[in-house]
Amino acid sequence: MSLEKLRLKLERKIELSPHFGEITQIYANTIKANGLKTSIGDIVSIKGIDNDISGIVSAIERDYFSIIPFTSTQGYKVGDKVFISQKGLKIGVGNGLLGRIVDPLANPIDNLGEIQKDSTISILNTPIKAMNRGLIDEVFSVGVKSVDGLLTCGKGQKMGIFAGSGVGKSTLIGMIVRGSSAEIKVIALIGERGREVPEFIAKNLGNDLKNTIIVVATSDDSPLMRKYGAFSAMSIAEYFKNQGKDVLFIMDSVTRFAMAQREIGLSLGEPPTSKGYPPSVLSLLPKLMERAGKEENKGSITAFFTILVEGDDLSDPIADQSRSILDGHIVLSRELSEFGIYPPINILASSSRVMNDIIDKKHRENVIKFRKIYSLLKENEVLIRIGSYQKGSDKELDYALSKKEKLEAFLQQDSTTMLDFKEIYTKLDEIFK
Ligand SMILES: Nc1ncnc2c1ncn2[C@@H]1O[C@H](COP(=O)(O)OP(=O)(O)OP(=O)(O)O)[C@@H](O)[C@H]1O
Ligand SMILES: [Mg+2]
């Protein structure tokens, strides 16, 4: 045995417990084992023929414990040995991650070689303590007119992007990544089909990964990988936030993350509730989302989470729960995208809760004017279209009609042209000149 192999073997030994247990039963998504004293959340390593797989202890009974493995359960046999990993659920991080695409355990998947790691951090952390949370009092510009102008976000804010499939989420996310001035950008792609990942990077990011880290768990990864992919991406964002940096965190999509927890919860025997989601899903969302924010004497994580909603399905438990945790929502509308209006943001259905605290008086007045005129136009849209509105019969509507083109032009933006906040501020003001 070479010296290097011996060193690795010794290193691995230290990481694992001296005691071991044994697999007693194997199912498609879970493994049962006995012979070890474990607690919920322990990371275990199962020794296979070729390599080891890791899993997490998710349920404990008197005589056995259940493990959810990070990869498939194929190839494992009853009697295989199970060790507790002393390292826990941790990933290596460092500046070497910048510009790279990694899996949920921060291993590179972009064929660009090893990643230099400076430290090891835990994937599961507690949210920022209430007393350490910084006030959201600074604009976080994303370079998109309708967002910066009418739904201004603040540093440390948590926003939701609610949309149906194929409406334009990925394109909008790409615009936000390119247009934002954040020092570090962390993108978690959770549950997408594998082929969508390179497509997203090429088409929506223009292959520009400067100061960007992409964490990927595709739909064919195990539910555990999809679940922890999101947490691991958040930990990477926290690592940079703790260095005082302003970080942009984007996750696509919360729905697929919730579906991963649904698979895990159901396979552990949790009862299904609304739309088949077990209760653990709802308690999981704040554990992830509340980790974003601004922290006193540190940096900030400004987060955008996409949530799939079909139609105006208000009964969707994930959309409902997300809305209650987030500080604002951007609603994308299929109707607008069908009309070729991009980005298809339904301004009247969207809002940013912190906006009024971070923009100046003139900006605030312009937003109120915009919303008022635009909603008047929407209310009378049909009348105007069929030509039954007579000019002169309503002064306010006449004024709105005179601004219609300018309002619509303000809402539309080419997906490759980003503007800075000042330009957007001026453009909004010019509508009413
Ligand atoms: N800003 C835009 N400018 C021009 N076309 C756009 C824009 N946004 C979306 N589109 C069009 O809509 C299509 C779908 O957009 P996108 O892939 O962003 O949607 P999605 O919501 O991410 O879809 P999925 O649910 O499949 O992930 C794009 O291929 C593009 O043709
Ligand atoms: Mg998409």
Side-chain angles (χ1 to χ4, degrees), residues 193-207:
R193 282 152 295 204
R195 65 163 177 78
E196 286 175 316
V197 175
E199 190 184 301
F200 173 77
I201 295 166
K203 206 170 116 190
N204 301 119
L205 301 183
N207 283 325

Side-chain angles (χ1 to χ4, degrees), residues 166 169-171 192 196 200 252:
K169 290 177 300 305
S170 300
T171 315
E192 299 258 322
E196 286 175 316
F200 173 77
D252 187 17

Side-chain angles (χ1 to χ4, degrees), residues 3 10 68 73 101 121 152 160 209 230 239-241 252 258 292 302 326 343 354 358 379 386 391 398 411 433:
L3 216 57
L10 279 171
I68 304 212
T73 55
I101 308 169
I121 57 168
T152 319
L209 292 188
Y239 168 75
F240 289 103
K241 177 204 73 181
D252 187 17
T302 309
L326 300 169
V354 307
I358 51 174
E379 266 170 39
I386 59 171
K391 257 199 182 152
D398 282 345
L411 295 178
K433 286 250 157 84

Side-chain angles (χ1 to χ4, degrees), residues 358-422:
I358 51 174
I359 56 174
D360 67 20
K361 187 161 168 270
K362 188 157 116 188
H363 191 164
R364 229 172 359 246
E365 285 167 2
N366 285 336
V367 174
I368 294 172
K369 271 190 225 161
F370 191 110
R371 280 185 174 266
K372 200 173 152 202
I373 300 176
Y374 192 67
S375 64
L376 198 62
L377 286 172
K378 282 277 153 201
E379 266 170 39
N380 294 285
E381 198 172 26
V382 180
L383 278 187
I384 298 164
R385 265 215 214 124
I386 59 171
S388 62
Y389 174 71
Q390 297 274 325
K391 257 199 182 152
S393 36
D394 183 307
K395 236 174 145 187
E396 272 188 38
L397 193 51
D398 282 345
Y399 177 69
L401 278 170
S402 73
K403 298 289 177 195
K404 186 169 181 276
E405 267 177 33
K406 281 189 175 168
L407 299 188
E408 280 168 357
F410 185 81
L411 295 178
Q412 295 189 38
Q413 187 169 339
D414 179 81
S415 64
T416 51
T417 318
M418 269 17 101
L419 284 87
D420 70 34
F421 190 74
K422 264 210 171 114

Side-chain angles (χ1 to χ4, degrees), residues 5 8-23 26 31 33 36 43-55 67 69 71-85:
K5 265 196 177 159
L8 281 176
K9 205 167 178 187
L10 279 171
E11 248 176 30
R12 206 169 62 187
K13 273 242 171 77
I14 299 167
E15 277 179 15
L16 301 179
S17 58
H19 304 289
F20 59 85
E22 270 183 11
I23 293 182
I26 302 175
I31 291 175
L36 269 181
I43 300 297
V44 294
S45 183
I46 305 170
K47 301 199 86 56
I49 304 164
D50 300 326
N51 50 6
D52 302 351
I53 58 164
S54 300
I67 305 161
T71 46
S72 134
T73 55
Q74 264 177 18
Y76 292 89
K77 298 185 303 301
V78 167
D80 279 351
K81 294 190 172 63
V82 181
F83 295 80
I84 295 183
S85 160

Side-chain angles (χ1 to χ4, degrees), residues 251-368:
M251 173 167 158
D252 187 17
S253 72
V254 170
T255 310
R256 303 246 167 82
F257 165 76
M259 285 173 174
Q261 178 63 18
R262 175 165 69 187
E263 275 181 56
I264 295 170
L266 295 180
S267 71
L268 288 174
E270 261 192 82
T273 56
S274 168
K275 282 215 170 169
Y277 286 106
S280 63
V281 172
L282 298 183
S283 61
L284 191 70
L285 293 181
K287 284 190 187 131
L288 175 74
M289 292 173 169
E290 296 286 6
R291 283 169 63 181
K294 190 168 156 188
E295 190 165 355
E296 293 279 354
N297 304 321
K298 290 187 179 168
S300 63
I301 299 174
T302 309
F304 290 82
F305 297 94
T306 72
I307 296 125
L308 281 164
V309 276
E310 273 319 323
D312 289 323
D313 187 3
L314 294 175
S315 68
D316 186 87
I318 303 307
D320 211 32
Q321 167 83 344
S322 304
R323 243 192 212 118
S324 71
I325 305 168
L326 300 169
D327 323 303
H329 50 275
I330 296 174
V331 178
L332 301 190
S333 130
R334 193 175 295 281
E335 194 195 340
L336 291 174
S337 75
E338 278 166 2
F339 275 114
I341 296 174
Y342 289 115
I345 299 177
N346 181 345
I347 288 296
L348 299 177
S350 309
S351 81
S352 161
R353 287 189 204 159
V354 307
M355 179 169 187
N356 281 338
D357 303 329
I358 51 174
I359 56 174
D360 67 20
K361 187 161 168 270
K362 188 157 116 188
H363 191 164
R364 229 172 359 246
E365 285 167 2
N366 285 336
V367 174
I368 294 172

Side-chain angles (χ1 to χ4, degrees), residues 97-208:
L97 282 169
L98 296 173
R100 303 298 300 266
I101 308 169
V102 296
D103 72 5
L105 302 172
N107 299 314
I109 51 170
D110 52 7
N111 301 324
L112 295 177
E114 278 295 298
I115 295 176
Q116 166 89 31
K117 310 263 175 78
D118 306 331
S119 49
T120 307
I121 57 168
S122 167
I123 289 186
L124 297 173
N125 287 319
T126 47
I128 302 172
K129 289 195 182 67
M131 297 313 287
N132 295 347
R133 257 185 204 275
L135 274 185
I136 301 180
D137 53 7
E138 248 181 293
V139 168
F140 183 88
S141 153
V142 299
V144 180
K145 285 187 287 178
S146 42
V147 179
D148 282 354
L150 304 167
L151 301 163
T152 319
C153 302
K155 271 185 194 165
Q157 184 170 4
K158 310 181 283 284
M159 285 293 273
I161 298 175
F162 294 79
S165 58
V167 175
K169 290 177 300 305
S170 300
T171 315
L172 180 62
I173 287 176
M175 288 173 84
I176 294 174
V177 173
R178 291 200 229 181
S180 101
S181 47
E183 298 164 274
I184 306 285
K185 301 160 185 183
V186 180
I187 307 171
L189 299 177
I190 307 298
E192 299 258 322
R193 282 152 295 204
R195 65 163 177 78
E196 286 175 316
V197 175
E199 190 184 301
F200 173 77
I201 295 166
K203 206 170 116 190
N204 301 119
L205 301 183
N207 283 325
D208 178 12

